[in-house]
Structure formats: C-alpha cells, structure tokens
C-alpha cells in the first residue's frame, strides 16, 4: 500500500488532542508483570496496540517543572548548550505539561522501550529527559516516576499508508506544545 498524507486527518487529530480519538492511560494503571526471563515487561492495558502503529505523548504534572529546569544539549563539535525551561513556557492541559511526543510502527514495543532500564536508544528519551532536567536522580527513579505520575495519550494510526501521517502528526504536536524532551542535539 502507498503512503499518503491526509492533511485534514492530521489537523483534526492535532485539534482534538488529547481528546477525540486519542486514548488516555495513567501510568498508575500499567500493571507491569515480569516475564519469566525478567528482561522485559508486558502491560495488559496495551495488548490491543501490539504491532499497531500510532502516535503518543507523555504528559506530567506541571508541578514537576514549576522551577527552572535545564538540560545540556549536545551542540556542534561536542559543545554543550544549556536549554532552560519551566512549566510556564508551555501550554498546559488540565495541569499537565506535554513533555514528549513520539510515533511508532509498533506502539506496544515502543512503550516497553520507554519503561525499560536496559534500553539506551530513543525509546528511553523520556527517562533521559527526567534525569537530565533534574526531576529524577537516575533512570530507575525516572521509570518509577513515569509509572506513578505520567499520563500517556496515544492514538492508533496503523499501516504503511499512515507513515507520513504519523510523521507529520508528531511534528505538528511538537510545534504546538514544544515538548522539552523532544529537544535534541544538533548534528
């Protein structure tokens, strides 16, 4: 199937965020059950998005970002660039800050990555953001905080035909909310 860009769909989804077709899951509802090998977790609450593509966002209580926070960004030629932010810099939704927006070809797998201490790629970007900004002392504490206080908003937008829609939707949500953990290094 051919990927197609549906501007009307993407615009409608951005306008409806975090309501409409978007689903909401509080981190506290994620019942993590260790698998026999202990290396990964499963979540019954998210079985329906196994091998399903879509978009998602992590929202946190505004109070976590009430004081100035700073993240060191990797700049050109190895330079470190301070990025400062506070909750007042961002649009909030019901007292929540949109801290990270993502897309995935497999939402279930991506959520597993976000909650894995073993993962060191972009799947752990929320953990790294919480640590680098000083909200959490380490990644394990960041995972606990995510389970206790994060609100995950997600939308199934599956299939090869939606690859472009998922990409544009992520960009438009980033442009609207400016999530601090999406701010990355320059290359």
């Amino acid at each position: 199937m051919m990927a197609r860009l549906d501007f009307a769909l993407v615009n409608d989804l951005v306008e409806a965020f975090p309501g409409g077709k978007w689903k909401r899951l509080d981190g506290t509802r994620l019942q993590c059950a260790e698998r026999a090998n202990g290396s990964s977790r499963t979540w019954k609450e998210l079985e329906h998005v196994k091998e399903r593509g879509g978009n998602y966002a992590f929202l946190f209580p505004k109070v976590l970002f009430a004081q100035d926070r700073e993240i060191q960004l990797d700049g050109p030629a190895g330079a470190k660039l301070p990025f400062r932010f506070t909750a007042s810099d961002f649009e909030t939704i019901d007292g929540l800050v949109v801290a990270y927006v993502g897309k995935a070809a497999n939402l279930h797998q991506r959520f597993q990555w976000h909650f894995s201490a073993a993962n060191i790629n972009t799947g752990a970007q929320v953990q790294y953001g919480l640590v680098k900004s000083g909200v959490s002392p380490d990644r394990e504490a960041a995972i606990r905080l995510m389970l206790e206080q994060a609100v995950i908003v997600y939308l199934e937008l599956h299939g090869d035909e939606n690859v472009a829609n998922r990409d544009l939707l992520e960009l438009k949500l980033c442009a609207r909310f400016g999530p601090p953990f999406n701010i990355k290094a320059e290359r």
Side-chain angles (χ1 to χ4, degrees):
M1 176 150 302
M2 181 185 302
R4 297 199 50 105
L5 190 55
D6 185 339
F7 286 106
L9 172 68
V10 170
N11 289 334
D12 288 347
L13 293 171
V14 169
E15 285 302 313
F17 183 88
K21 295 179 181 180
W22 293 91
K23 295 178 179 146
R24 177 184 170 130
L25 179 64
D26 293 341
T28 56
R29 288 185 45 212
L30 291 176
Q31 299 301 316
C32 299
E34 292 292 333
R35 289 188 179 166
N37 65 11
S39 65
S40 60
R41 303 172 190 205
T42 60
W43 294 277
K44 290 180 182 178
E45 294 282 343
L46 294 168
E47 286 294 318
H48 64 283
V49 293
K50 212 173 223 181
E51 298 185 20
R52 304 291 298 170
N55 292 77
Y56 62 95
F58 278 84
L59 289 71
F60 289 94
K62 179 180 177 179
V63 68
L64 293 178
F65 306 104
Q67 68 184 44
D68 284 351
R69 297 287 176 183
E70 183 174 300
I71 296 176
Q72 293 293 316
L73 302 176
D74 296 319
K80 294 294 183 187
L81 306 171
F83 168 61
R84 289 191 183 102
F85 65 94
T86 184
S88 62
D89 295 332
F90 305 102
E91 177 182 344
T92 57
I93 302 166
D94 298 327
L96 300 170
V97 171
V98 179
Y100 182 78
V101 173
K103 65 179 181 299
N106 183 333
L107 287 168
H108 189 269
Q109 179 183 56
R110 184 60 54 90
F111 290 134
Q112 286 183 326
W113 290 355
H114 274 293
F115 288 91
S116 170
N119 196 357
I120 58 169
N121 65 19
T122 57
Q125 197 160 346
V126 176
Q127 296 171 35
Y128 285 120
L130 290 167
V131 172
K132 287 181 177 182
S133 65
V135 173
S136 293
D138 55 44
R139 289 181 57 208
E140 288 79 15
I143 292 169
R144 284 191 304 276
L145 180 75
M146 292 162 63
L147 289 167
E148 293 167 2
Q149 297 195 36
V151 172
I152 302 167
V153 178
Y154 66 96
L155 169 80
E156 237 181 276
L157 198 57
H158 187 66
D160 293 343
E161 67 276 13
N162 280 307
V163 169
N165 293 325
R166 289 192 299 263
D167 199 41
L168 186 58
L169 183 55
E170 178 185 35
L171 292 170
K172 289 190 79 140
L173 287 171
C174 283
R176 178 175 172 191
F177 294 104
F181 298 163
N182 281 86
I183 308 295
K184 299 178 189 167
E186 289 189 324
R187 296 182 185 116

